[in-house]
Amino acid sequence: MTDCYICIDLETTGLEPKKDQIIEIGAVKVEHNTIVDTWESLINPGRKLEERIVALTGICDRQLADAPQITEILPEFLSFAGEDVLLGHSVLFDYSFLKKAAVNEKRSFERKGIDTLKIARKYLKELESRSLGSLCQYYGIAHRAHRALEDAGATVALYRKLAECFYEKEEAEGDKSLFRPKPLIYQVKRDMPITIPQKEQLYKLADKHKLILDYEIDKLTRSEASRKIDRLLAEYGR
């Protein structure tokens, strides 16, 4: 059983790495099955949070106003994570956001991972839900949902419970064992920064139509800016 890993969890502005942003990272470092360190940070996404995200996480714009941007905090996180195996509940989701952030900074982030959700789906089919919250309730694991470090800590406890119950049975699968780290595959291209003409057009549209935008124009990527311009033109015209 893998007993040295980094358990990660993120809170984000949405579910799509290509257009959504990280707002919180939580990570728990485990060595020889013992928690040895933790790391967490709020992250300013450069945009106003939707009400559903505030309701889900309890994180609000005021809390993020003075938080670092992902470009500032990423090197520290990558140093903490090192080359360790990643553990997570639906780990590819969290990995995809982190890899996108790394690629945007011209950094490599290739890792192997273990997914507690996949293990639960295989062995706990009788449960109505295999969300992290539902599994924590099933196993009696204390859990404060939808805050990154709390979720990461709960996932460590869940992994131990799953290993206790199913590791020996799963090891019969050999290299296919879900308890063995597998390469995490997510293809991503680096975002290009917003162009000067795009900035000018967004500022002109905002000024002409007296709009208060809920995002920072200078921090948009080229593709984000294109979507914003198209949306404003469709709604307000030129």
Side-chain angles (χ1 to χ4, degrees):
M1 172 181 162
T2 301
D3 61 1
C4 296
Y5 52 86
I6 298 289
C7 186
I8 57 170
D9 188 85
L10 309 183
E11 302 302 330
T12 63
T13 61
L15 302 177
E16 298 182 47
K18 292 182 180 180
K19 68 177 186 178
D20 289 306
Q21 302 294 328
I22 302 169
I23 58 173
E24 187 176 40
I25 301 175
V28 177
K29 183 185 288 287
V30 176
E31 295 180 357
H32 307 298
N33 215 29
T34 299
I35 294 175
V36 296
D37 204 357
T38 61
W39 190 95
E40 65 178 324
S41 180
L42 290 169
I43 296 167
N44 187 332
R47 67 177 71 170
K48 183 178 175 61
L49 297 181
E50 295 181 21
E51 289 184 8
R52 63 184 179 86
I53 299 300
V54 176
L56 182 68
T57 65
I59 299 170
C60 63
D61 294 315
R62 178 178 52 78
Q63 291 172 277
L64 300 180
D66 296 323
Q69 297 174 26
I70 187 64
T71 53
E72 300 172 71
I73 209 68
L74 186 64
E76 184 181 330
F77 168 75
L78 294 178
S79 176
F80 177 85
E83 298 296 321
D84 289 356
V85 168
L86 301 182
L87 176 77
H89 199 68
S90 190
V91 68
L92 189 61
F93 173 84
D94 302 291
Y95 173 72
S96 63
F97 275 88
L98 291 169
K99 184 171 181 180
K100 181 70 184 297
V103 167
N104 282 344
E105 294 302 303
K106 300 181 181 179
R107 290 174 174 266
S108 174
F109 191 62
E110 304 298 331
R111 293 292 185 277
K112 291 184 177 181
I114 298 171
D115 193 340
T116 52
L117 178 58
K118 287 185 177 180
I119 298 170
R121 282 175 172 166
K122 181 173 182 178
Y123 288 104
L124 297 169
K125 294 178 181 178
E126 73 279 8
L127 298 184
E128 184 175 341
S129 170
R130 287 168 291 277
S131 68
L132 180 58
S134 296
L135 290 169
C136 285
Q137 185 175 15
Y138 179 75
Y139 282 115
I141 298 168
H143 178 221
R144 178 189 172 200
H146 300 301
R147 289 305 300 266
L149 188 58
E150 292 280 346
D151 282 351
T155 302
V156 171
L158 174 62
Y159 177 63
R160 290 171 176 169
K161 286 287 187 180
L162 292 171
E164 180 183 323
C165 296
F166 308 116
Y167 175 71
E168 290 187 7
K169 184 183 296 186
E170 182 64 10
E171 271 302 282
E173 300 287 336
D175 288 340
K176 294 182 180 179
S177 168
L178 294 176
F179 285 96
R180 296 191 184 185
K182 305 293 191 302
L184 295 170
I185 307 299
Y186 179 70
Q187 301 297 331
V188 61
K189 294 182 179 180
R190 180 170 174 260
D191 283 332
M192 300 303 291
I194 187 173
T195 65
I196 293 176
Q198 285 178 317
K199 286 184 186 180
E200 291 175 347
Q201 188 170 11
L202 279 169
Y203 280 120
K204 286 179 180 177
L205 286 168
D207 181 62
K208 179 178 180 179
H209 299 291
K210 310 300 181 188
L211 303 176
I212 299 176
L213 303 178
D214 59 0
Y215 48 85
E216 298 177 48
I217 290 176
D218 290 351
K219 294 179 181 177
L220 295 176
T221 65
R222 187 176 300 179
S223 57
E224 286 175 333
S226 180
R227 287 194 294 270
K228 301 292 187 187
I229 290 170
D230 289 345
R231 191 173 303 159
L232 290 178
L233 290 174
E235 187 169 353
Y236 298 100
R238 295 185 178 277

